């Protein structure tokens, strides 16, 4: 059984742990929470592969998620098409990846900005080079 609990579930966790104490044959493993990647108005939880805007989850495909995480980890830096492709797809580029990456960026923008049309961050295209995630710091 795998449980994912939040801080607000403290009482439930205590009840579960008290029951488990009576069963020493059951092993308990805890996974340390990976730090959250934060953008203004957006929270990315890499350990759970989840993205939230105002506590509402935004559904992304695996490639969209990996692209966003890569751009967020390198916010303010321009990443080339080759860098994005090699990191997200785990393969070497052959020169035809720009359209593939552009397709996923387009879908990613649609989902992110639909959830937050006034987002203080944006994915900027750098013509014939790649993409950059820019953040307007308050």
């Amino acid at each position: 059984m795998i449980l994912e609990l939040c801080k607000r579930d403290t009482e439930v966790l205590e009840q579960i742990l008290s029951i488990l104490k009576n069963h020493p044959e059951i092993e308990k493993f805890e996974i340390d929470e990976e730090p959250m990647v934060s953008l203004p108005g957006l929270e990315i939880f890499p350990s759970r592969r989840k993205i939230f805007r105002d506590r509402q989850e935004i559904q992304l495909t695996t490639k969209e998620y990996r692209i966003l995480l890569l751009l967020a980890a390198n916010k303010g830096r321009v990443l080339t098409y080759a860098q994005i492709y090699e990191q997200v797809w785990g393969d070497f580029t052959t020169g035809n990846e720009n359209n593939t990456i552009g397709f996923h960026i387009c879908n990613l923008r649609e989902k992110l900005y639909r959830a937050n049309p006034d987002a203080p961050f944006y994915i900027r295209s750098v013509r014939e080079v790649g993409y950059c995630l820019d953040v307007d710091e308050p």
Side-chain angles (χ1 to χ4, degrees):
M1 174 174 35
I2 297 174
L3 298 174
E4 183 177 335
L5 301 172
C6 302
K7 287 184 181 182
R8 67 176 183 268
D9 298 324
T10 304
E11 185 177 323
V12 172
L13 177 62
E14 288 175 9
Q15 291 173 358
I16 292 170
L17 291 175
S18 69
I19 293 169
L20 291 176
K21 285 179 186 175
N22 297 326
H23 298 278
E25 71 278 6
I26 297 176
E27 293 183 60
K28 176 184 139 197
F29 297 95
E30 289 185 42
I31 298 173
D32 291 334
E33 187 69 28
E34 191 173 341
M36 171 187 65
V37 177
S38 181
L39 298 171
L42 198 67
E43 297 172 331
I44 305 169
F45 294 90
S47 63
R48 299 186 311 184
R49 202 199 159 286
K50 294 189 183 273
I51 298 172
F52 293 91
R53 159 78 172 113
D54 294 330
R55 295 188 173 184
Q56 295 294 316
E57 186 174 358
I58 298 172
Q59 298 293 324
L60 300 178
T61 67
T62 300
K63 298 298 186 205
E64 292 165 354
Y65 171 80
R66 292 189 68 198
I67 291 169
L68 178 61
L69 193 59
L70 179 64
L71 292 172
N74 292 281
K75 63 185 169 192
R77 292 181 54 209
V78 176
L79 298 178
T80 66
Y81 291 106
Q83 289 171 318
I84 295 168
Y85 191 81
E86 289 170 9
Q87 288 292 317
V88 173
W89 276 263
D91 199 3
F92 293 105
T93 58
T94 60
N96 298 322
E97 296 79 15
N98 298 12
N99 288 339
T100 300
I101 295 168
F103 171 79
H104 288 286
I105 292 284
C106 182
N107 290 338
L108 184 56
R109 284 175 173 152
E110 158 69 26
K111 291 175 182 180
L112 291 176
Y113 303 136
R114 180 180 31 171
N116 184 6
D118 300 320
F121 63 88
Y122 58 97
I123 299 171
R124 177 171 51 95
S125 298
V126 180
R127 178 173 263 167
E128 297 183 25
V129 176
Y131 294 95
C132 178
L133 189 126
D134 289 330
V135 177
D136 295 333
E137 298 292 339

